[in-house]
Amino acid sequence: MAQIQIINGLFKNELELQLAPGIKAGFPSPADDYIHDGLDFNRDLIRHPEATFYGRINGDSMKDLGINNGDIAVIDRSLDPQQGDIVVGFLNGEFTIKTIDLTHKEEGYIELQPANNKYHPIRVDGSDTFEVWGVVIWTIKNWRK
C-alpha cells in the first residue's frame, strides 16, 4: 500500500525558473529553440500557499497512475475532495494516498481506490476513523536516481 510521509513545510521562498515553450513529445521545431517566460512554483502552481504541504510517497499502490515510491505529492488541504480526486487520507491512524470514490456515500461508505491491481479498494464506513487530509494537486518525480 502506498503511504505518504507528510513533510512539514509551506511553499514560501520565491524562485523563478525559466520556462521552456511548449515542449513537444514529437519532432522538435527549430523555432522553439529559445526559452521565455518564467515559472515560479509558488505563484504559478500553488493556489493556497497557507494550506499547501508536500509529502513523500512510500509504496507502489498508485503506480498505474504514475505515482511511484519516492515521488513528492503537493497537497492542498483547503480543497474539498471531488469524485475521482487523488487524496491523502488519514485512515485509522495512518496516512495513505488513493483515488477517492464517493459514489456510495448515500449508502454509508466511500472507497479509496488504489492504482495497482495488486491491491484491493479500501471500504471506509462509520466504523473507521477517517479524514481526507488533503487533495493532491501535483506530483514531482525524480527521473535520475
Side-chain angles (χ1 to χ4, degrees):
M1 175 182 336
Q3 296 179 327
I4 188 160
Q5 170 194 7
I6 303 302
I7 301 168
N8 187 18
L10 299 173
F11 293 86
K12 294 181 182 176
N13 299 331
E14 286 191 30
L15 173 62
E16 187 165 317
L17 303 175
Q18 293 299 311
L19 179 63
I23 299 172
K24 295 180 175 74
F27 188 75
S29 168
D32 288 339
D33 283 347
Y34 61 93
I35 294 178
H36 62 86
D37 295 326
L39 174 67
D40 182 308
F41 282 90
N42 298 312
R43 180 192 68 223
D44 299 328
L45 303 181
I46 307 302
R47 288 185 291 184
H48 308 109
E50 67 287 346
T52 301
F53 295 82
Y54 53 95
R56 189 169 306 280
I57 307 300
N58 180 11
D60 66 351
S61 72
M62 297 301 285
K63 73 175 187 71
D64 292 344
L65 286 178
I67 301 173
N68 299 305
N69 191 56
D71 288 354
I72 296 172
V74 181
I75 308 151
D76 189 331
R77 295 202 65 200
S78 70
L79 299 176
D80 291 325
Q82 297 178 8
Q83 171 64 26
D85 278 347
I86 298 170
V87 300
V88 172
F90 192 65
L91 175 62
N92 299 326
E94 291 187 27
F95 286 106
T96 187
I97 180 171
K98 300 284 182 283
T99 300
I100 194 162
D101 180 354
L102 302 171
T103 59
H104 301 283
K105 197 170 184 177
E106 290 184 12
E107 299 166 49
Y109 70 95
I110 63 169
E111 288 185 339
L112 300 175
Q113 300 284 341
N116 179 340
N117 61 12
K118 195 166 89 170
Y119 299 97
H120 298 289
I122 300 170
R123 183 179 167 143
V124 180
D125 60 29
S127 67
D128 295 297
T129 303
F130 178 71
E131 171 190 0
V132 173
W133 196 82
V135 176
V136 176
I137 54 173
W138 298 96
T139 55
I140 303 169
K141 307 181 91 36
N142 179 3
W143 288 100
R144 187 172 193 188
K145 299 185 184 199

